RNA sequence: GGGGGAUUAGCUCAGCUGGCUAGAGCGCUUCCAUGGCAUGGAAGAGGUCAUCGGUUCGAAUCCGAUAUUCUCCA
């Protein structure tokens, strides 16, 4: 049976048992603050368990794309190392929402596995919940009795809470579960050790294949359990493992789910056969697994990025690239070539990938390129660090032996190919191949070597090649610690994104080790730092009034009289906030790119500001800073109408823009993201090149034309999804739609979209749209930002006002740009001129001062009051005089723009005599001008407040100089 | 959302705890040498040290904010 048949049999089986087969929900979640990705089959039914929604069907089955990158049984870093963990996997599941319970769930599971899939009964084990004292829960006797009708009692094992009590999270629906395990070992092995001892023991061939969860409790934040009114069944069977069991393989990766991908990788990347090299095999598995996760996440609308879910995707892709880079020697983007193969393989089950093949491939390709660049930077940085160590030790070595290098003109030097700043050379030598230095050096002293080329890496092999005819063998006496310290490794990791195991690998290649304990310590510190403020506590919902799921009435009105259904406390960054749920509300919750409404609640005479409105699955949650004192009373809820109207204008404009882009650029334009608030609209869409100015102008013109046509909004609610699609409505990938949708139409021939947002009644009220920027977000994705209505007006007014101001400042020239350019050039010239003039002036002052110099006791003394244009020129004067007299002792009491300054400068010889110390002198002299200062032994400055003290400075200096 | 780094000449980067008048390589300009070169030599141009503010006698260097960008964590 191939994997396709296995999947179909599952769905057919449950269809025959009265289940509705539903499509997989997107991998990426939008309205769930507790989860980044769909990590199990039940996620899309969460609201059914929580009681926030009434289930549409009582019996449902599907295969669900899931992504797990962290958790108790799976860590991204483990995937590929073993043969049974995955990032993305399919979970087959059947559900009962308040319908059948343990009896049917158990019977059908057994029937499917043994009758349909014909798995050997003697290899199957089942586990049941064995009770838990802390929760005061008994053994699940009911399940045991039911299982006994199918399997012998000694194959029914008791499990602990960790394995056999399933919980969604810290709180929420939960219940005991029953797992089915299979023993896939050989007969000999089974004889040696019975399978029941290996169940739930992380044995790669004694694995859980199906988990039947019986949801019957709700766990409160306090930890207590309360029974649920409706009992549910939630089952999950790992598709890849099931295939392994049915196809008689010992690894998930050996099934036809992965093998085609892996053979392709092995062949094209490294021309080797999978299975012949343990390390390479790991890399191949990692790549085959990760491309699935990455490709489907992108197809579901999640671009790799540096935050949130996007960052997880980026990390997964990078891990795959890194493995290919290190073990399969793949230095060019490769992963993107797997996308077509994968898309074809899963075309029937998950058509979303195949439909966006080109787009996903491009995104992956671009992301690979950027990571390879980062790797390159990291390698460069690594080499620099390494060369620093080498250089330091080489200098020490040469110094100890008094070996001196000379350039051909006789000047002493140190060969700069040892300096770690030769990027060009290092690029040629991107790893450790030999490279040439085009410079001649002679080593003089007792050894004379003319050095033409050198490879600093070879020295580690204790050889040092110089010219062809002279060989300098690097002595083994040169030894130093061959360890990369933890800080360096951490900086590589944290700042350059350089994976630690790659650092270790590279270190090993040159005979170094990495101080891992120090590295880990740095890592821990960083984690603590960034975790410190992210803490958040959420309390239990407290019910005020019973009521149906909250109703959104904001499409039709901006205000309502409501009552509070429930509330809870949320602690975030030491700030206490409250969340309120109303029975009906005009507040639009953030969704579809449109931000949540703000506004106010009026309860009696009390007013409470609503700072944000968010969705939690289907719940509309109002965020407020304090609770009303009267929770039961009627609440008048009113949104901030001005803000909402601007958002509406921007949202409708987004639809017009979307349609215009498809007209101007082509049908490949798909929405990839959008943000709509009261200030701006931002629209991301798939398109493979930057838009030209003409294209932008065309799009703008078309949108504005549609605005002027003043098209009436046609809003239809509760349209069956199939009908909506037949109307040509644009549906988005990665968006989960119900059976009934809302359709927003501005002219059926122009723009028809599925949308839950709020819109203007006539396009005319948008007023005007102005694109203010067009940029790139990722490969194949462009971003347009635009303003409308009052925002557009303000934008124009501001731009125009600025231009007018600039123009008038320039005395209204014909061509502002040229005029400004000329002005800048002129300014630059004048600056240069001023600089030279200052230099000339300084030169004159210098000459004057030099003329007044007095030779006494073998030193040249200059002790004068001067007036100079700037501190800079004073410095120049001082240095010029130092260059002129090596026996100089100079004190200048200067007036710089009305500020007193004392400068002391000594000549080279005087400095060497150490009789004078400029720094000490200036400190003493500065007292006369009520100031302070310092500097170096030969040059020091001081500033002060008392201009009148300059004369006394000269007097004091006279005394200081003659005293020596 | 939070943490860390980076921003210095056209390019790639040095510049350690503030003070030896902002440096290197490549590139560019001019000149000299060579039959030729990824040649050798000499001279030279090119910098608001991202922006704004602060501390200081003195800031590329320290502090704060902003912008751009890389990166790590949740």
């Amino acid at each position: 049976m191939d994997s396709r048949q296995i999947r179909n049999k599952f769905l057919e089986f449950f269809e025959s048992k009265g289940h509705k087969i539903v499509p997989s929900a997107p991998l990426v979640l939008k309205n769930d603050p507790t989860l980044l990705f769909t990590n199990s089959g039940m996620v899309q039914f969460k609201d059914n368990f929580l009681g926030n929604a009434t289930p549409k069907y009582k019996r449902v089955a599907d295969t669900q794309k899931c992504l797990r990158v962290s958790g108790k049984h799976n860590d991204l870093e483990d995937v590929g190392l073993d043969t049974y963990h995955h990032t993305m996997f399919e979970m087959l599941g059947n559900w009962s929402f308040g319908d059948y319970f343990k009896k049917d769930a158990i019977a059908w599971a057994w029937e499917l596995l043994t009758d349909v899939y014909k798995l050997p009964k003697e290899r199957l084990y089942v586990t049941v919940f064995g009770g838990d004292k802390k929760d005061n829960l008994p053994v699940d006797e009911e399940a045991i009795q039911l299982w006994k009708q199918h399997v012998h009692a000694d194959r029914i094992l008791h499990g602990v809470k960790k394995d056999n009590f399933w919980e969604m999270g810290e709180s929420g629906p939960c219940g005991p579960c029953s797992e089915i395990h299979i023993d896939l070992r050989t007969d000999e092995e089974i004889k040696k050790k019975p399978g029941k001892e290996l169940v739930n023991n992380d044995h790669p061939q004694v694995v859980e294949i199906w988990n039947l969860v019986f949801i019957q409790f709700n766990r409160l934040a306090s930890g207590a359990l309360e029974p649920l009114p409706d009992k549910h069944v939630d089952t999950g069977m790992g598709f890849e493992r099931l295939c392994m069991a049915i196809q008689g393989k010992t690894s998930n990766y050996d099934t036809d789910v992965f093998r085609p991908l892996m053979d392709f990788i092995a062949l094209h990347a490294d021309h080797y056969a999978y299975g012949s090299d343990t390390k390479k095999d790991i890399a191949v598995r990692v790549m085959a697994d990760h491309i699935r996760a990455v490709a489907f996440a992108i197809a579901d609308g999640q671009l790799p990025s540096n935050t949130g879910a996007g960052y997880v995707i980026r990390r997964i892709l990078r891990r795959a690239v890194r493995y290919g880079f290190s073990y399969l020697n793949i230095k060019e983007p490769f992963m993107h070539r797997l996308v077509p193969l994968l898309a074809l393989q899963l075309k029937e089950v998950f058509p979303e990938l195949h439909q966006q093949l080109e787009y996903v491939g491009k995104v992956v390709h671009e992301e690979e390129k950027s990571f390879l660049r980062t790797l390159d930077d990291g390698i460069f940085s690594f080499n620099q660090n390494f060369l620093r160590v080498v250089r330091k030790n080489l200098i020490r070595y040469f110094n100890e032996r008094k070996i001196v290098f000379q350039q051909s003109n006789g000047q002493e030097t140190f060969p700069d190919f040892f300096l770690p700043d030769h990027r060009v050379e290092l690029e040629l030598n991107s790893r450790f191949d030999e490279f040439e230095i085009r410079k001649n050096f002679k080593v003089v002293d007792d050894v004379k070597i003319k050095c033409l080329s050198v490879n600093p890496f070879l020295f580690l092999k204790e050889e040092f090649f110089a010219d062809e005819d002279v060989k300098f063998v690097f002595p083994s006496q040169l030894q130093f610690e061959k360890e990369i310290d933890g800080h360096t490794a951490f900086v590589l990791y944290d700042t350059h994104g350089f994976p630690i195991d790659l650092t270790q690998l590279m270190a090993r290649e040159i005979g170094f080790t990495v101080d891992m304990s120090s590295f880990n310590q740095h890592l821990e510190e960083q984690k603590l730092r960034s975790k410190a403020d992210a803490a958040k506590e959420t309390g239990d919902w407290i019910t005020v009034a019973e009521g149906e799921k909250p109703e959104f009435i904001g499409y039709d009105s901006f205000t309502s009289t409501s009552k509070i259904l429930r509330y809870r406390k949320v602690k975030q960054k030491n700030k206490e906030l409250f969340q309120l749920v109303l029975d009906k509300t005009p507040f639009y919750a953030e969704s579809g790119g449109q931000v949540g409404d703000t506004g106010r609640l009026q309860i009696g005479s009390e007013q409470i500001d609503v700072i944000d409105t968010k969705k939690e699955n289907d719940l509309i949650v109002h965020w407020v800073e304090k609770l009303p004192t009267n929770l039961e009373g009627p609440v008048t809820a009113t949104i901030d109408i001005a803000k909402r109207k601007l958002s509406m204008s921007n949202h409708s404009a987004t639809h017009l823009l979307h349609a215009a882009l498809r007209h101007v650029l082509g049908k490949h334009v798909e929405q990839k993201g959008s943000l709509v608030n009261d200030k701006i609209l931002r629209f991301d869409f798939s398109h493979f090149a930057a838009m030209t100015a003409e294209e932008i102008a065309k799009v703008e013109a078309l949108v504005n034309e549609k605005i002027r046509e003043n098209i009436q909004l046609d809003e239809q609610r509760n349209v069956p999804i199939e009908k909506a699609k037949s109307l040509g409505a644009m549906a988005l990938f990665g968006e989960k739609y119900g059976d009934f949708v809302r359709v927003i139409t501005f002219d059926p021939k122009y723009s028809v979209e599925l949308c839950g947002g709020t819109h203007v009644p006539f396009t005319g009220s948008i007023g005007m749209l102005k694109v203010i920027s067009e940029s790139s977000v990722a490969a194949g994705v462009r971003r347009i930002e635009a303003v409308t209505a009052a925002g557009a007006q303000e934008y124009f007014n501001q731009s125009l006002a600025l231009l007018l101001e600039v123009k008038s400042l320039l005395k209204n020239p014909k061509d502002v740009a040229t005029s400004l350019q000329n002005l800048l050039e002129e300014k630059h010239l004048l600056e240069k001129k001023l600089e030279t003039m200052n230099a000339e002036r300084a030169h004159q002052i210098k000459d004057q001062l030099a003329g007044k110099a007095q030779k006494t006791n073998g030193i040249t003394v200059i002790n004068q009051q001067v007036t100079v244009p700037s501190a800079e020129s004073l410095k120049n004067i001082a240095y010029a005089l130092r260059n002129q007299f090596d026996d100089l002792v100079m004190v200048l009491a200067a007036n710089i723009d009305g500020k007193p300054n004392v400068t002391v400068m000594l000549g080279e010889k005087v400095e060497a005599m150490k009789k004078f110390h400029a720094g000490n002198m200036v400190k003493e002299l500065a007292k006369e001008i009520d100031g302070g200062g310092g500097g170096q032994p030969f040059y020091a400055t001081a500033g002060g407040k008392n201009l009148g003290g300059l004369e006394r400075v000269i007097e004091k200096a006279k005394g200081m100089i003659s005293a020596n």
Side-chain angles (χ1 to χ4, degrees), chain A residues 888-939:
Chain A
L888 179 74
V889 175
M890 182 187 82
V891 176
L892 292 181
N895 177 343
I896 307 171
D897 253 355
K899 273 187 171 172
N901 171 286
V902 178
T903 297
V904 178
M905 177 63 95
L906 305 179
E908 243 177 286
K909 265 195 201 160
V910 180
E911 185 196 350
M913 284 168 11
K914 295 198 170 150
K915 270 201 204 159
F916 294 95
H917 188 283
N920 295 343
M921 283 169 75
V922 93
K923 265 176 206 154
E924 190 55 36
L925 295 170
K927 288 176 186 166
E928 300 303 324
I929 53 168
D930 298 343
Q936 303 141 81
F938 71 94
Y939 171 68

Side-chain angles (χ1 to χ4, degrees), chain A residues 648-674:
Chain A
M648 282 162 62
S649 167
N650 277 335
H651 200 155
S652 299
T654 304
H655 285 210
L656 301 183
L657 178 68
H658 188 183
L661 285 166
R662 285 170 69 90
H663 269 90
V664 174
L665 300 176
K667 294 289 176 220
H668 62 278
V669 169
E670 297 263 4
Q671 175 174 340
K672 287 297 165 201
S674 109

Side-chain angles (χ1 to χ4, degrees), chain A residues 327-357:
Chain A
Y327 300 105
L328 300 175
N329 203 35
I330 302 174
K331 309 286 190 245
E332 296 295 321
F334 176 80
M335 294 289 286
H336 65 105
R337 290 167 61 190
L338 301 173
V339 177
L341 200 64
L342 177 65
L344 204 61
Q345 185 192 349
L346 295 170
K347 191 178 167 186
E348 285 158 41
V349 226
F350 307 121
E352 58 273 19
L353 181 57
H354 195 261
Q355 285 164 12
Q356 303 176 87
L357 194 54

